Amino acid sequence: MFKLITKNINNRIDSKLMKKYQATVDHLIKRINLRLLDGSEMMGWVDLIESYDNRELLAMRDKANEWKKLNLKYVVVIGIGGSYVGVRAAIDMCCGLFDHKSPQILWAHNISSSYVTELKNKLANEKFGIVVISKSGTTLEPALNFRIFRELLQKNVGISKLHKYIVAITDKERGTLHEYAKNHHITTFGIPNNIGGRFSTLTPVGMYTMILKGLDPLQILKGAKQAFKDTQDDNIYSNTAYQYACLRHHLNVGKRLQIENFIVYDPNLQFVGEMWKQIFGESEGKNGKGLYPAVSLFTTDLHSLGQYLQEGTRNFFETTLFVEKPQMDLKLKIMDNNDRTKYLNGKSLHYINEKAFEGTINAHTKLGKVDNIIIKIGTNDEYHFGYLFIWFSVAVTLSGYLLKVNPFDQPGVEHYKSNMFKLLGKK
C-alpha cells in the first residue's frame, strides 16, 4: 500500500497551475523516454527493474549461503554514499535496529580515527566477512578502510584463506578493485556502468548484503516493479511521483521555500530518510538550485526542533513518511495512575504515535502555516522498501529536469576531493 496525501498544503495549487505543469511534464517525459536529456544515459536502473538478471541473484544467494556455513558473527560493509546509505536503509527498515541474528552488519562508512579504531578493536580476534563496494576502487574512504580491515582479516584467518572472506562489488571490467579481486581470486559482483551510486541500491551494491541478512530479493523487486508500473502514467493527477516532483518544484520555485524537512516517526526508518537525502540532495543541488534536504525523527526531534518548526522562520515545508501497520506493536496495560497515563490503558504504542503524527500535522499546518506532504506505506518490509526506492528515483528524475539540472551527475563532489588530495600531498 502506498499513498501520497497533499491536502495539507496551504494555498493549494489551483487547476490552472497544474495544467501548466502538465504541459511541461508531457514535454519532459517524452524527452526522458527517448533519453534525449543530459544524464539520461545513466538511467540503467529502469532497465534493471524491467529485466533483472536472475542468474546474478542466484550467484549472490549461493555466495551468501557459502558465508553462512562459515558461521560468521560479523560482516563489515565498506562503502560510502550510494554504496552504503541505501543498503543500510533497507536492513534497518526490514530487520530493525536491534537485530542480533548472525551475521551482524558493521558499517565502515567514514574515516573517523575513533570510529575506525573502535570497529577494528571489536574485530580484533574475530573471523569476519568483508563486503567492499567501490566502482573504481580508488575512492579514498573505502580504499583506506578496505586496506585496514583486509590486513586485520589476514592476521585473523591467514593469507591462504583471506579470499574466502571477501566479496568485492565493483566495475565489471576495469578499475583498481576489479584488478585486485581478480588477482587474489576474490568473488566479485558487478556494478552496471549506466547506474550511478545513489541509484545502485538494487544492484549487487545493496542486494548482496540484503540477501546475506535474509531479506527476500524477489519481494524487493516486486515492490520496485510495482512502483515503476504505477509511475508510468504521464497524468500528474494519477502519477504520485510526478505529483510529488511538481509540488516540490512549486514550493521551492513558486513559493521560494528553501528547505524540505523529511520526517519519520520510527528510528528504523531514519536511514530511509538518509537515502532520500542523498537521492534528492545530490541530484538537485547544482547551479545555485535545489531544496536543502533535512531529515527529522519524530517524536524525538519535536522536543528539540518542535518550537522552531512551529513558530520559526517560514522557509521550509515538510514531507512525512508514516507506516500504517508496523511489524511490531506493544499494547499498554496500565493499572495505576501514578504518572497520569491511565487514560492510555488498552491502547497501543503505534496508536499513540499515530495520534502524535496527526496532532503534529494539524498544528504545523493550521497554526504554523507549514505546507505538509504525507507519504503513507503499508508496513516496513522488503516490498515497500523496493517501492519507495524506485518511487523516489522516478520523482527525482522529473524533479531535477524541472529545475533544468542534470539529476544524474555530481560534479561538485570532486571539489572537496581535489582540495583534500592537494593538502595530503597526492601527486
Side-chain angles (χ1 to χ4, degrees):
M1 187 278 290
F2 180 96
K3 295 178 185 175
L4 182 74
I5 301 168
T6 61
K7 66 181 181 180
N8 296 296
I9 293 178
N10 292 295
N11 303 319
R12 295 190 68 189
I13 297 176
D14 60 29
S15 58
K16 184 177 179 181
L17 185 59
M18 288 301 283
K19 285 180 181 178
K20 180 181 176 182
Y21 268 107
Q22 186 65 68
T24 304
V25 167
D26 288 341
H27 174 72
L28 287 173
I29 295 305
K30 286 178 183 178
R31 294 176 64 79
I32 290 170
N33 290 338
L34 293 171
R35 303 293 193 267
L36 295 176
L37 297 176
D38 288 346
S40 55
E41 71 278 0
M42 294 301 292
M43 291 181 65
W45 47 273
V46 172
D47 303 322
L48 179 82
I49 296 309
E50 289 184 326
S51 55
Y52 208 95
D53 187 348
N54 289 329
R55 293 170 300 177
E56 192 165 53
L57 278 180
L58 291 172
M60 286 188 282
R61 185 198 63 184
D62 290 345
K63 186 63 181 179
N65 287 337
E66 183 183 314
W67 270 18
K68 287 174 184 177
K69 291 177 183 176
L70 295 173
N71 294 318
L72 299 176
K73 185 177 180 181
Y74 301 109
V75 169
V76 179
V77 175
I78 298 171
I80 199 163
S83 299
Y84 151 71
V85 174
V87 60
R88 182 164 182 179
I91 290 171
D92 284 3
M93 176 175 173
C94 301
C95 299
L97 302 180
F98 304 105
D99 174 48
H100 296 297
K101 290 181 289 188
S102 294
Q104 292 180 44
I105 306 300
L106 304 175
W107 309 97
H109 57 90
N110 66 53
I111 49 175
S112 158
S113 58
S114 297
Y115 181 85
V116 174
T117 302
E118 188 177 2
L119 188 54
K120 189 181 176 193
N121 290 341
K122 184 178 181 69
L123 298 168
N125 300 304
E126 297 281 352
K127 292 180 179 179
F128 60 92
I130 292 176
V131 180
V132 55
I133 308 163
S134 177
K135 205 167 199 176
S136 66
T138 58
T139 302
L140 184 63
E141 294 92 340
L144 283 178
N145 280 325
F146 184 40
R147 175 176 289 274
I148 291 165
F149 289 101
R150 183 177 74 228
E151 290 174 354
L152 176 62
L153 181 60
Q154 180 176 319
K155 180 182 176 183
N156 291 355
V157 304
I159 193 168
S160 63
K161 295 181 180 178
L162 183 65
H163 67 282
K164 294 182 180 180
Y165 293 82
I166 301 174
V167 166
I169 299 170
T170 187
D171 191 280
K172 294 180 180 181
E173 298 175 350
R174 61 181 68 86
T176 301
L177 182 56
H178 172 85
E179 290 302 317
Y180 180 89
K182 182 179 178 182
N183 293 336
H184 291 82
H185 312 291
I186 291 169
T187 298
T188 63
F189 296 107
I191 305 173
N193 289 325
N194 60 351
I195 302 178
R198 59 189 173 277
F199 299 96
S200 68
T201 298
L202 302 189
T203 74
V205 165
M207 278 294 201
Y208 178 70
T209 306
M210 292 184 217
I211 292 169
L212 189 64
K213 276 303 295 179
L215 273 62
D216 186 345
L218 297 182
Q219 281 299 308
I220 295 169
L221 291 173
K222 183 179 179 182
K225 289 176 181 178
Q226 188 62 51
F228 191 69
K229 180 181 177 182
D230 291 349
T231 55
Q232 290 307 290
D233 189 344
D234 292 353
N235 190 322
I236 297 173
Y237 290 99
S238 54
N239 188 324
T240 54
Y242 292 174
Q243 273 183 51
Y244 181 54
C246 292
L247 288 171
R248 294 177 75 255
H249 185 268
H250 172 68
L251 293 170
N252 179 206
V253 177
K255 294 188 70 172
R256 298 177 183 263
L257 300 179
Q258 300 169 310
I259 300 165
E260 181 175 9
N261 187 23
F262 188 90
I263 298 162
V264 297
Y265 278 76
D266 184 342
N268 292 5
L269 295 175
Q270 200 160 7
F271 257 85
V272 172
E274 295 299 315
M275 178 180 75
W276 167 89
K277 182 170 75 176
Q278 189 199 10
I279 288 174
F280 283 88
E282 203 166 58
S283 297
E284 294 183 330
K286 296 152 195 173
N287 305 329
K289 300 177 181 179
L291 287 155
Y292 182 86
V295 180
S296 296
L297 171 64
F298 283 5
T299 59
T300 304
D301 287 342
L302 284 173
H303 295 265
S304 57
L305 291 173
Q307 174 62 41
Y308 178 90
L309 296 174
Q310 189 69 47
E311 297 182 347
T313 307
R314 304 292 82 179
N315 62 347
F316 68 94
F317 68 96
E318 297 176 336
T319 296
T320 300
L321 173 65
F322 196 81
V323 175
E324 294 260 272
K325 188 177 181 181
Q327 290 181 353
M328 294 177 282
D329 201 1
L330 182 64
K331 193 170 184 178
L332 299 175
K333 293 182 180 180
I334 302 174
M335 306 311 294
D336 61 67
N337 201 31
N338 294 337
D339 52 5
R340 303 295 187 266
T341 60
K342 192 172 182 180
Y343 71 99
L344 297 173
N345 181 44
K347 295 179 172 61
S348 74
L349 279 181
H350 178 66
Y351 174 83
I352 297 167
N353 206 26
E354 186 175 35
K355 297 310 154 189
F357 153 67
E358 292 171 359
T360 302
I361 291 288
N362 188 276
H364 287 189
T365 304
K366 300 289 173 55
L367 298 177
K369 303 302 179 186
V370 177
D371 295 296
N372 267 274
I373 299 170
I374 299 169
I375 298 169
K376 284 191 175 183
I377 59 173
T379 192
N380 48 320
D381 61 9
E382 295 98 322
Y383 174 89
H384 287 92
F385 175 80
Y387 195 105
L388 278 175
F389 182 80
I390 291 300
W391 191 86
F392 286 151
S393 299
V394 172
V396 82
T397 299
L398 177 60
S399 191
Y401 287 131
L402 283 170
L403 284 172
K404 299 180 181 179
V405 301
N406 177 352
F408 298 106
D409 67 356
Q410 51 279 337
V413 176
E414 300 306 317
H415 297 315
Y416 98 83
K417 291 181 182 179
S418 61
N419 285 338
M420 175 178 65
F421 290 143
K422 186 185 296 183
L423 291 167
L424 289 169
K426 182 179 179 179
K427 296 180 180 179

